[in-house]
Amino acid sequence: MAAQVALVTGGTGGIGFHTSVGLAKAGFRVLVTGRDAARGASAIEALRRESGSAQVELVLGDLGRISEVRALAQQVLALAPALSVVVHNAGAMAERLERTQDGLERNFAVNVAAPYLLTQLLRPALRAASPSRVVVLSGGTAGAAVGSLGRSN
């Protein structure tokens, strides 16, 4: 029987890295997204070493670009026609207004639009592995931003 497959966005560092280690230790084949090939290759090597699993692979894509989200989804579907878990971990926190090449505000593009679009594009693989799960992680910045509304600093 083939291992269940999990996709972790932003798995090259931080919480995504540790989530990927845990999933690999639990027997999942883990696909990890990253934007940079060199950093990604280094992370995959570390993930394999820490998890003791060779079933960890890199899928490259910039979640701040709609065309790359679509390409990323096609790569994932080719690698994993059945996807048991998607962990949306990648995030952006630009302090100044930045626009993506698609004209979206960067934080919105990476934190909202990309996870939504990627999930929709991966629905066939998620259905094929039913029951499957989609997990969306968020940092404390959302709460901090809401908590600061109305303050006059």
Side-chain angles (χ1 to χ4, degrees):
M1 181 176 193
Q4 291 185 346
V5 182
L7 173 69
V8 180
T9 67
T12 58
I15 293 171
F17 180 90
H18 295 288
T19 300
S20 298
V21 168
L23 288 165
K25 282 183 175 181
F28 282 82
R29 175 179 168 216
V30 183
L31 306 177
V32 173
T33 72
R35 290 178 297 177
D36 180 85
R39 180 176 179 201
S42 177
I44 294 301
E45 187 177 301
L47 283 164
R48 288 177 178 162
R49 189 174 49 252
E50 284 199 35
S51 69
S53 174
Q55 295 294 306
V56 182
E57 303 167 52
L58 178 65
V59 186
L60 289 174
D62 181 349
L63 297 177
R65 301 174 77 182
I66 291 172
S67 63
E68 290 200 32
V69 173
R70 291 182 182 283
L72 179 69
Q74 290 305 312
Q75 292 175 64
V76 170
L77 291 170
L79 290 168
L83 193 56
S84 299
V85 178
V86 174
V87 179
H88 290 293
N89 167 72
M93 192 177 92
E95 293 180 16
R96 294 188 180 105
L97 177 63
E98 292 179 35
R99 297 255 180 228
T100 65
Q101 289 182 338
D102 301 306
L104 298 174
E105 189 273 328
R106 177 159 305 285
N107 293 331
F108 176 79
V110 175
N111 300 335
V112 179
Y116 176 80
L117 178 59
L118 187 57
T119 298
Q120 295 308 309
L121 295 170
L122 296 176
R123 284 176 73 180
L126 289 162
R127 282 192 187 117
S130 182
S132 56
R133 299 289 180 261
V134 175
V135 179
V136 180
L137 303 178
S138 68
T141 57
V146 170
S148 67
L149 291 176
R151 290 187 189 167
S152 56
N153 295 353

